[in-house]
Every structure is written in C-alpha cells, then in structure tokens.
Amino acid sequence: MSTEEAPRRVEVYPDREVVVEFDPDLTFECVDDCTWCCHHGVLLYDKDLLELAQRANLAETTTDFRGEKFVTREEKGREDHVAEDGCACAFLREDGLCSLHLEEDWKPTRCSVFPLGVWREDGDLHVDIRDSAHDHCEGLNVSERSVIDNLEAFLPEVLWELENPDSDREL
C-alpha cells in the first residue's frame, strides 16, 4: 500500500468541505492531565473575541501580538499544567480543566481545532495534524473517536469565512 495517498475532500457542513491531509484512520481524544495545548497563547478570531467579551474581561484575559488578539498566557505559580516557563492559558485551572469550556460551555475556535492544523491553499481549506502535536499531544490514536468522522467537532463553521485561518500563528 502506498504511503502517499491522495488527499481526500470531506464535506463538514453543507457546501463546506475540507481537504484532509492526515491519515483517515487517525483517532483523537483528550487525555486527562495532558493540557499541553493550553500552555500556548490562543489566537482569537474576531468572532471569538466577541464571544469571549460576553464571558470574561478582555483587558485581563487578552493581549495584542503582531496586530492580533490572543488569550493571555499567565504565570500560574504551580508545577502542573504549565509550560516550562510556568505559564499557561489564563483560563486553564489548577485541575487541568478549562474554565471557559467547563463553566461557559464554549471554547475559542483554535481550541476546538487542536490537534489539527488548518490553512487555506488555492481557495480550499486544508487540515492536517499539527507538527507539534506529533511530539507533544498524548491523545492521538488512543481512542476509538475517528477524527475524520467527527470533523464538525474540530472545525467550527467560522473557519470557512476567514481570509487566513492559518493555525500556525502563535503568541
């Protein structure tokens, strides 16, 4: 069997499809106590910023970087659920859970997308596994949850409306 299979197009929403670049057999499920994806600044698209403003004080929880808004990384004063510099997402609680997701039943687009990378190429939206996820994310291929069969859970519809959904931009 060829290791270089042709990318496949998958309709995620009516008339909204993606070009899938990852192995269609890939599974993903968040693993307890991992929180690696929460150690970085989360890029906020305009719609996310409006949603977050209804749930949190933007002056305290966001920062500007290169003309874009990100969720603030803050010093946590603990050893668990933080990056090497002791910082993590402003919304990451001590127990390793997200206060936005848990208490507000909402999360920014970029948080939904992880561990996928998203970019626009030749007018199409492409998705693949982020390079960094291969090295750090413990949830890849540990469950029965097929990524390709659950793309709507990873890819909010707003992604098709963005001029640059590129998910490699980091704080």
Side-chain angles (χ1 to χ4, degrees):
M1 183 166 136
S2 163
T3 56
E4 287 293 317
E5 290 187 27
R8 63 172 66 191
R9 291 181 173 274
V10 176
E11 187 175 71
V12 182
Y13 302 101
D15 299 320
R16 298 198 185 246
E17 62 181 21
V18 292
V19 178
V20 173
E21 305 275 359
F22 59 84
D23 179 346
D25 294 330
L26 179 80
T27 66
F28 174 79
E29 196 75 52
C30 279
V31 176
D32 287 347
D33 290 331
C34 175
T35 72
W36 179 81
C37 60
C38 307
H39 299 175
H40 316 283
V42 175
L43 174 66
L44 295 164
Y45 301 116
D46 290 345
K47 186 175 180 186
D48 292 322
L49 201 56
L50 295 173
E51 291 279 343
L52 184 58
Q54 297 173 29
R55 296 166 168 87
N57 181 329
L58 295 183
E60 295 174 2
T61 59
T62 65
T63 187
D64 289 297
F65 182 67
R66 296 184 180 162
E68 295 183 295
K69 284 280 193 194
F70 285 80
V71 171
T72 303
R73 293 180 75 244
E74 63 183 24
E75 174 67 43
K76 292 294 188 177
R78 62 184 187 232
E79 293 183 18
D80 293 332
H81 310 300
V82 293
E84 288 180 10
D85 64 0
C87 296
C89 176
F91 298 104
L92 185 63
R93 302 183 336 180
E94 194 171 333
D95 61 6
L97 299 175
C98 172
S99 62
L100 282 177
H101 192 205
L102 221 62
E103 298 161 22
E104 302 286 339
D105 195 29
W106 177 81
K107 54 186 169 181
T109 300
R110 289 284 291 269
C111 299
S112 294
V113 169
F114 198 85
L116 302 179
V118 179
W119 70 96
R120 191 170 298 289
E121 186 179 309
D122 299 328
D124 290 322
L125 203 60
H126 289 248
V127 293
D128 200 352
I129 301 302
R130 291 173 60 124
D131 288 341
S132 57
H134 287 292
D135 297 330
H136 301 283
C137 181
E138 298 174 24
L140 296 172
N141 292 316
V142 296
S143 73
E144 298 297 314
R145 183 181 179 220
S146 164
V147 175
I148 204 165
D149 292 337
N150 291 281
L151 284 172
E152 72 288 345
F154 294 94
L155 304 174
E157 203 163 2
V158 67
L159 289 168
W160 281 265
E161 300 163 14
L162 300 172
E163 188 177 318
N164 181 13
D166 183 352
S167 57
D168 277 343
R169 302 192 316 273
E170 289 186 358
L171 185 61

